[in-house]
């Protein structure tokens, strides 16, 4: 069963909660899938049952078509946020981590074409591999964070939080105007360009900054 972990090894008592995600938060990723840039953040939720440790081998759902990786910066919520102001957000974020927003892309395309919700394509069991979190005892430069995803030793995604259409603090505040964020909930902040299909045997590495966090995993 998945439990939140801190990278430093100190115990994380926060329960695994819902995972609130944003679609198309980087203009270059919206363009690569021929999607328009939304006027307001496009939100969806993965349940706690979607979370798995990022270090564990990834099991692709069988018979469900293509499964894409989307590397994303993840925020671990440490204090309740409801109708928050962006200024309230920094004190409520307990940790920074990395995540894969796994997406059954063929199924999502069909659901989108039919005007149906995306849940089956985005919220299935195992759809949210989560890294251990870097415990935030200090305030980072929220718009200056970078992360990188390698697929089979090739750089495929580079995210810079300064390129987000809705910056982190505004995004968390916006989310909290619809969904109260409880301690243990996670926010996925959107994926930069470079998403692609995962195949059996693929190796993935995700890294936050140069040396804050690095996690390697593979597709079973
Ligand atoms: Zn995503």
């Amino acid at each position: 069963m998945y439990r939140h972990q801190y990278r430093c090894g100190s115990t994380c008592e926060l329960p695994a909660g819902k995972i609130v995600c944003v679609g198309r938060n980087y203009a270059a990723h919206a363009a690569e899938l021929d999607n328009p840039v939304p006027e307001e953040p496009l939100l969806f939720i993965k349940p706690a049952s979607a979370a798995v440790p990022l270090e564990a081998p990834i099991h692709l759902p069988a018979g469900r078509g293509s499964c894409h990786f989307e590397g994303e910066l993840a925020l671990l919520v440490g204090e309740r946020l409801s109708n928050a102001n962006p200024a309230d957000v920094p004190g409520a974020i307990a940790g920074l981590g990395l995540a894969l927003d796994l997406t059954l892309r063929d199924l999502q395309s069909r659901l989108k074409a039919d005007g149906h919700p995306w849940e089956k394509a985005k919220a299935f069991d195992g759809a949210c591999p989560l890294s251990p979190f870097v415990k935030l005892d200090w305030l980072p430069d929220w718009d200056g964070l970078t992360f990188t995803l390698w697929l089979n030793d090739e750089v495929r995604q580079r995210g810079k939080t300064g390129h987000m259409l809705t910056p982190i603090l505004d995004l968390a505040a916006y989310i909290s105007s619809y969904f109260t964020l409880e301690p243990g909930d996670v926010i996925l902040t959107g994926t930069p360009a470079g998403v692609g299909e995962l195949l059996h045997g693929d190796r993935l590495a995700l890294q936050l900054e140069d040396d804050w966090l690095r996690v390697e995993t593979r597709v079973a």
Side-chain angles (χ1 to χ4, degrees):
M1 200 183 111
Y2 173 82
R3 282 169 181 266
H4 293 315
Q5 287 180 9
Y6 285 124
R7 182 184 171 274
C8 57
S10 64
T11 313
C12 183
E13 302 290 353
L14 297 167
K18 64 183 175 292
I19 301 152
V20 186
C21 310
V22 57
R24 305 176 204 165
N25 201 25
Y26 290 83
H29 168 63
E32 74 179 343
L33 295 183
D34 280 328
N35 285 316
V37 169
E39 286 176 17
E40 282 191 77
L42 180 62
L43 303 182
F44 60 97
I45 291 180
K46 296 178 190 254
S49 50
V52 288
L54 179 56
E55 304 94 330
I58 295 168
H59 291 274
L60 301 176
R64 300 263 158 87
S66 67
C67 183
H68 277 203
F69 63 86
E70 297 190 355
E72 310 203 4
L73 181 72
L75 313 177
L76 176 61
V77 176
E79 306 279 345
R80 172 179 285 199
L81 285 171
S82 184
N83 289 310
N85 294 308
D88 302 331
V89 173
I93 303 302
L96 285 176
L98 295 168
L100 291 173
D101 168 15
L102 293 182
T103 304
L104 295 170
R105 192 70 74 197
D106 298 334
L107 177 57
Q108 186 196 28
S109 298
R110 285 204 301 278
L111 293 167
K112 278 164 67 176
D114 291 342
H116 291 164
W118 297 350
E119 261 77 4
K120 286 189 284 187
K122 290 272 200 185
F124 58 91
D125 288 353
C128 194
L130 288 172
S131 76
F133 289 88
V134 177
K135 197 173 182 178
L136 282 185
D137 305 320
W138 81 103
L139 288 183
D141 171 6
W142 298 100
D143 296 326
L145 300 167
T146 59
F147 60 97
T148 309
L149 178 147
W150 289 261
L151 178 68
N152 300 323
D153 302 319
E154 185 186 332
V155 173
R156 293 291 298 270
Q157 294 192 280
R158 277 196 201 280
K160 292 190 197 312
T161 53
H163 292 169
M164 289 180 181
L165 296 170
T166 305
I168 290 177
L169 304 184
D170 300 84
L171 176 65
Y174 180 87
I175 289 171
S176 83
S177 74
Y178 283 89
F179 313 116
T180 295
L181 291 163
E182 301 284 2
D185 287 351
V186 170
I187 297 171
L188 297 198
T189 56
T191 199
V195 304
E197 185 174 5
L198 287 175
L199 300 172
H200 295 291
D202 280 342
R203 288 172 295 110
L204 285 162
L206 286 87
Q207 185 170 302
L208 177 58
E209 295 289 310
D210 286 337
D211 53 3
W212 289 13
L213 182 71
R214 181 182 170 89
V215 178
E216 297 180 6
T217 189
R218 65 183 177 82
V219 180

